[in-house]
Amino acid sequence: MPLPLNSWQLRFQDTARGLAGTAARLQHAADSDLVNQLYAVAQTLTRLGEDPDNPLAAGTMDFLSSDPAGTALVVVTNRSYQDAVVQAFGAVRYPVEIGLVSDLLGAGVYNAAVVVGPVGWLPPGVLNAPRAARLGLVHYDFYREPLDIQPLFSEGPVLRGTMPTRIRRRRSITVGAPSKLLGEVSPERAEFLLTDLDVVALAQDAVAGLPAEILPDGAPGAHERVDARVAQLADGSYVLLPTESEVHKVLLIEPDLDDEPSVEAVDGASVTVGDYIVLRGSSYYQSLVERADAALGDDAPILRAIQQEWKTQLRDFIARHPGGRQGVAKDLTARGAMTTNLDYWTSPWCIRTRRKEDFAVVMRYLGRSGEAQEAWDALGRIDHAHRSAGRSYAEAVQRAVSGDLWQQLWADRWCDIPLDDTGSGARAALVDAVLPGQLSVPPNYLCRLRTPEVP
């Protein structure tokens, strides 16, 4: 972010204290060289957090001031920092608009625009249909993007599309001398790094926020993975949406016939560009679990154990059966089951089978026929609590977005939502773009608010 290094929003000091605390805890349990590296990073961050300089803003103004005519736009990666960035540029009396990349994908045309942040976050559409006569990328000379993603120029996506205007790449420049904070370390010059790592792949920003171990093919638990798309939101955050699903829900806000907000739970796979969706740091399902458990009170642990037990036992039968899922499905059908939706029955979202008769067949198959009725009734309490929780969640959002907040959502295209029955709140945001390609991720990564800073 183009903010002073000592800005509280960047939290360098907080991060430094956290690293120093971690190093202290590992002092006698980890390799001393690694611990010393943690201390060194903490000290560097502490010094950075005391520095009033704003190198990214300096680089931005260096680019814009070379041709000050016309309207200029500074694009930041996260709307939550937007007000602070406005103040930073207002302090130096530099006339610029501060916005998000979606402003470069709309109808507005600018004389110059500067994108501040990770290079891999810049979507191809900005270059395939440029909305600025002069476009600059300002960033530090280090990257978090992996080396194997497509380069921006030469063989990258810029030359693959139909270019309305030929984009010429000018020589990259380094603003300022190497920082004294680095001591005797001499970093590689930025222009050499740019040659290898100047990239454009918005999806990689989402990938960078995921633990590396979940991405390779064949990773443990691959049978529980689902295909997902990355959707970029108007506030600069993003969400992973399933490509196909009947269980991954998300709240959608739409205007009714009177232009008042109407909140509805929809399948996450149906969300598309232009939709206003409601997200929390946890999934929609996890939100329901929290609300349902609160309603179930002290009985929640016992009821959840019953829910987990029959599904775990069914998974064990499938694992031991020579025919796997198909073999167990044939056995259940032969015993009178009308449906054998084993994938769903063994998933975290299933409470009980749709038909009571099928549940009785499953319990007999598991050797627990005497418990079938009691278990069915207990699981019915969970099912009722989930349905009530879904209604209460939608109603809480409905109340929250009515009135002034509804107007703010339409004007800003996103807003934070205070929920009257939970302290965590939620966020409503417009889906700006759904990226091409797919990721294979665990189901619990879906339909959650994600940001580049907080995976």
Side-chain angles (χ1 to χ4, degrees):
M1 286 294 152
L3 296 174
L5 295 173
N6 63 357
S7 172
W8 66 267
Q9 289 92 348
L10 298 182
R11 301 184 62 185
F12 283 149
Q13 300 281 18
D14 292 342
T15 304
R17 284 191 290 269
L19 286 176
T22 300
R25 290 193 297 272
L26 296 176
Q27 189 74 50
H28 302 293
D31 181 83
S32 59
D33 288 341
L34 294 177
V35 173
N36 289 336
Q37 289 181 41
L38 279 178
Y39 276 124
V41 172
Q43 291 171 3
T44 299
L45 286 176
T46 298
R47 290 194 293 269
L48 282 174
E50 298 169 349
D51 194 328
D53 288 343
N54 191 342
L56 288 180
T60 298
M61 291 187 289
D62 184 75
F63 174 83
L64 295 176
S65 60
S66 62
D67 184 7
T71 304
L73 173 70
V74 174
V75 178
V76 296
T77 58
N78 193 315
R79 191 182 288 274
S80 60
Y81 294 93
Q82 190 171 12
D83 290 343
V85 175
V86 169
Q87 293 179 3
F89 278 88
V92 296
R93 300 183 181 278
Y94 204 85
V96 295
E97 295 182 13
I98 309 297
L100 297 176
V101 72
S102 55
D103 294 306
L104 281 175
L105 297 172
V109 178
Y110 301 89
N111 178 67
V114 177
V115 178
V116 183
V119 183
W121 169 82
L122 184 66
V126 170
L127 295 171
N128 289 336
R131 310 300 297 176
R134 299 169 60 240
L135 181 64
L137 305 179
V138 174
H139 43 74
Y140 291 112
D141 61 349
F142 54 84
Y143 297 82
R144 70 178 180 195
E145 285 82 11
L147 291 171
D148 57 352
I149 55 178
Q150 290 183 337
L152 178 59
F153 291 90
S154 68
E155 298 179 357
V158 172
L159 298 185
R160 291 185 178 182
T162 301
M163 299 299 298
T165 304
R166 177 65 180 175
I167 293 181
R168 293 175 297 168
R169 185 186 186 187
R170 297 178 179 175
R171 181 178 64 87
S172 300
I173 61 172
T174 301
V175 177
S179 173
K180 60 182 181 299
L181 298 171
L182 297 176
E184 298 178 357
V185 179
S186 298
E188 296 178 66
R189 291 185 61 79
E191 48 262 48
F192 295 120
L193 290 175
L194 281 169
T195 302
D196 295 329
L197 293 174
D198 196 357
V199 296
V200 54
L202 183 54
Q204 291 303 320
D205 200 61
V207 173
L210 300 177
E213 61 269 16
I214 78 162
L215 295 174
D217 294 333
H223 64 284
E224 297 179 354
R225 290 167 171 268
V226 291
D227 289 332
R229 306 169 296 158
V230 180
Q232 184 74 17
L233 306 178
D235 69 326
S237 60
Y238 62 92
V239 62
L240 300 176
L241 299 172
T243 57
E244 296 181 6
S245 171
E246 294 180 357
V247 297
H248 299 287
K249 301 292 184 180
V250 66
L251 288 184
L252 190 73
I253 306 178
E254 292 184 307
D256 61 17
L257 295 177
D258 298 322
D259 286 332
E260 294 298 323
S262 176
V263 179
E264 179 185 6
V266 301
D267 188 351
S270 68
V271 172
T272 187
V273 174
D275 286 341
Y276 285 87
I277 58 176
V278 179
L279 299 170
R280 295 177 59 194
S282 58
S283 67
Y284 175 79
Y285 173 78
Q286 185 59 38
S287 300
L288 296 190
V289 170
E290 294 169 3
R291 291 168 177 272
D293 284 356
L296 293 170
D298 294 339
D299 291 341
I302 299 174
L303 296 173
R304 292 297 183 188
I306 295 173
Q307 178 190 6
Q308 184 63 33
E309 189 174 357
W310 78 272
K311 295 193 297 179
T312 299
Q313 192 174 358
L314 182 58
R315 280 195 295 267
D316 291 341
F317 270 59
I318 293 172
R320 294 196 303 266
H321 199 291
R325 272 175 161 73
Q326 291 184 346
V328 171
K330 289 181 180 179
D331 290 348
L332 293 175
T333 301
R335 287 165 171 75
M338 295 294 293
T339 58
T340 56
N341 193 356
L342 295 177
D343 285 337
Y344 176 63
W345 290 353
T346 56
S347 73
W349 302 276
C350 179
I351 298 173
R352 61 184 184 180
T353 63
R354 186 180 298 274
R355 298 177 69 252
K356 182 178 181 180
E357 295 79 7
D358 290 338
F359 187 75
V361 171
V362 171
M363 294 296 280
R364 283 199 304 271
Y365 185 68
L366 300 178
R368 302 172 58 186
S369 57
E371 306 172 42
Q373 182 62 50
E374 182 180 356
W376 178 263
D377 293 340
L379 297 174
R381 292 183 59 190
I382 299 179
D383 182 68
H384 176 75
H386 271 247
R387 294 177 187 275
S388 299
R391 289 192 296 270
S392 69
Y393 186 20
E395 290 169 357
V397 172
Q398 181 87 52
R399 290 192 297 271
V401 299
S402 299
D404 293 341
L405 205 58
W406 176 235
Q407 301 303 320
Q408 179 185 340
L409 178 60
W410 274 109
D412 296 342
R413 305 191 302 167
W414 77 280
C415 67
D416 286 322
I417 299 175
L419 299 179
D420 49 18
D421 56 349
T422 178
S424 58
R427 179 171 296 179
L430 177 73
V431 177
D432 266 337
V434 177
L435 309 181
Q438 296 180 0
L439 298 173
S440 180
V441 300
N444 61 298
Y445 281 77
L446 298 173
C447 301
R448 297 168 53 184
L449 182 69
R450 312 185 75 89
T451 69
E453 292 79 15
V454 183

